Amino acid sequence: MARVQRMLDACAELLDEGGYGELSTTRIAERAGVAIGSVYQFFPDKKAITQALGLRYLDLFSMRVTQRLAEEAFEHWTEAVEAIIDEYIDMHRTVPGFRSLHFGDVVDVRLLDPEADNNQVIANRLRELVVTTTEAKEGEELDRAVMVAVEASDAVLKLAFRHDPDGDPTLITEAKLLVHSYLSRHFGPR
């Protein structure tokens, strides 16, 4: 529905401008050009709107990663991992609101799913992509490896973007090296 998309777009813009603390349903309604009642028709509060935005980002990230993995021929799994990290970095730089919200940690570590923290939701989605696009076998070892890789890269990439809106290139390189080194233990060296 176009009205909901306008509200989510307005939420993203306002997050970039003032962060979650400055966000309100009234400001979202004004920016989206809708009545406040329209906001409440779909979302009970600003947390619900940011949750919907976080889920939209997760779907967009998954779609971008899936498309990139399908379009490019990777000689080694490390190149696929780098492509996934590059998609995250590009979203950080170009998708309105993503820099402020990421996948929702700023609001609630269980924003995307009340049963799992946000990084677990992302790791589950990436694990599904890895299994469907590679010869990786499902199991506890893969689950754990993807979870650790997501947590580690998330921490270093947050650090990379903390003081540099484009991401400190040295720290981005370190995040990729960290994930490559760790995953090499599970999937073999380059």
Side-chain angles (χ1 to χ4, degrees), residues 108-128:
D108 182 345
V109 295
R110 291 183 180 254
L111 185 70
L112 301 175
D113 182 338
E115 302 299 317
D117 65 42
N118 298 331
N119 278 349
Q120 183 66 55
V121 173
I122 294 162
N124 290 344
R125 186 76 62 100
L126 287 175
R127 181 187 37 74
E128 290 170 15

Side-chain angles (χ1 to χ4, degrees), residues 21-42:
E22 297 295 316
L23 190 66
S24 72
T25 53
T26 302
R27 292 185 73 208
I28 292 168
E30 289 170 357
R31 178 67 59 95
V34 300
I36 190 70
S38 290
V39 173
Y40 290 124
Q41 177 183 357
F42 298 99

Side-chain angles (χ1 to χ4, degrees), residues 16-86:
D16 275 349
E17 292 171 16
Y20 185 73
E22 297 295 316
L23 190 66
S24 72
T25 53
T26 302
R27 292 185 73 208
I28 292 168
E30 289 170 357
R31 178 67 59 95
V34 300
I36 190 70
S38 290
V39 173
Y40 290 124
Q41 177 183 357
F42 298 99
F43 306 105
D45 53 29
K46 73 179 188 176
K47 183 177 177 182
I49 297 172
T50 55
Q51 180 181 37
L53 184 61
L55 290 168
R56 181 169 85 169
Y57 290 152
L58 181 59
D59 289 342
L60 176 62
F61 180 66
S62 296
M63 181 193 71
R64 288 173 61 148
V65 167
T66 300
Q67 183 175 354
R68 186 147 178 201
L69 293 178
E71 290 176 351
E72 294 182 30
F74 300 106
E75 291 183 28
H76 195 268
W77 65 263
T78 57
E79 294 169 347
V81 169
E82 189 159 325
I84 292 169
I85 293 172
D86 287 343

